[in-house]
């Protein structure tokens, strides 16, 4: 299956998601909201992982014990989340994929961190931070 090509705002970072994209899992935690510049970070995983086409401008910020965030060092776009150093399973910002991509929301995570001034209208499951951590086995 052909992948979906994504990029940052300026185009210095380009990648291809391989295989089928999964559902979007908006994360409402404070780190994701601060990093994404407003609403939640809205990542998707690809069945076959992610291949970088142009990555010289890609930089990583270690935001916690368990995660680091990939961004374009030229334009600042928030692009990827991964376990530290993980070469394989990167979560990709749904917003970096082509316009018109038909995303569906699989579930919301860290919903108890969501501030009261925005909400979503979908009826996907909503997991609290405690439920997310339990699922990770941490
Ligand atoms: Zn860029
Ligand atoms: Zn988060």
């Amino acid at each position: 299956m052909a992948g979906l090509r994504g990029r940052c705002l300026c185009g210095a970072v380009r990648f291809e998601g391989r295989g089928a994209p999964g559902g979007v899992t908006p994360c409402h935690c404070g780190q994701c909201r601060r990093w994404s510049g407003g609403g939640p970070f809205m990542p998707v995983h690809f069945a076959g992982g992610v291949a970088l086409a142009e990555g010289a401008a890609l930089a990583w910020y270690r935001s916690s014990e368990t995660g680091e965030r990939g961004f374009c060092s030229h334009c600042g776009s928030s692009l990827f989340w991964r376990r530290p150093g993980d070469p394989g399973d990167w979560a990709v910002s749904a917003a970096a994929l082509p316009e018109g991509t038909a995303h569906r929301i699989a579930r919301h995570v860290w919903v108890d961190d969501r501030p009261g001034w925005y909400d979503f209208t979908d009826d996907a499951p909503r997991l609290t931070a405690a439920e997310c951590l339990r699922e990770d086995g941490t």
Side-chain angles (χ1 to χ4, degrees):
M1 176 177 181
L4 277 178
R5 292 200 177 137
R7 64 172 176 86
C8 65
L9 179 60
C10 75
V13 179
R14 294 177 183 273
F15 61 91
E16 183 176 323
R18 295 190 161 151
V24 182
T25 57
C27 181
H28 301 271
C29 83
Q31 285 193 355
C32 282
R33 286 184 290 105
R34 208 169 269 278
W35 183 58
S36 68
F41 181 51
M42 300 207 270
V44 301
H45 286 268
F46 281 86
V50 174
L52 278 177
E54 283 177 49
L58 178 61
W60 292 92
Y61 171 67
R62 177 81 176 260
S63 57
S64 74
E65 287 281 295
T66 53
E68 52 190 2
R69 298 168 186 269
F71 61 98
C72 175
S73 59
H74 185 61
C75 71
S77 296
S78 305
L79 297 170
F80 306 115
W81 189 96
R82 69 179 182 186
R83 303 268 171 203
D86 186 346
D89 189 19
W90 297 8
V92 176
S93 171
L97 295 170
E99 296 288 341
T101 302
H103 291 294
R104 71 182 165 75
I105 294 178
R107 58 185 185 160
H108 295 261
V109 298
W110 287 71
V111 292
D112 41 344
D113 270 13
R114 180 181 61 78
W117 54 266
Y118 75 79
D119 202 354
F120 284 65
T121 56
D122 64 283
D123 57 5
R126 280 149 165 80
L127 277 69
T128 63
E131 288 167 333
C132 296
L133 292 170
R134 210 174 301 142
E135 223 172 72
D136 282 355
T138 49

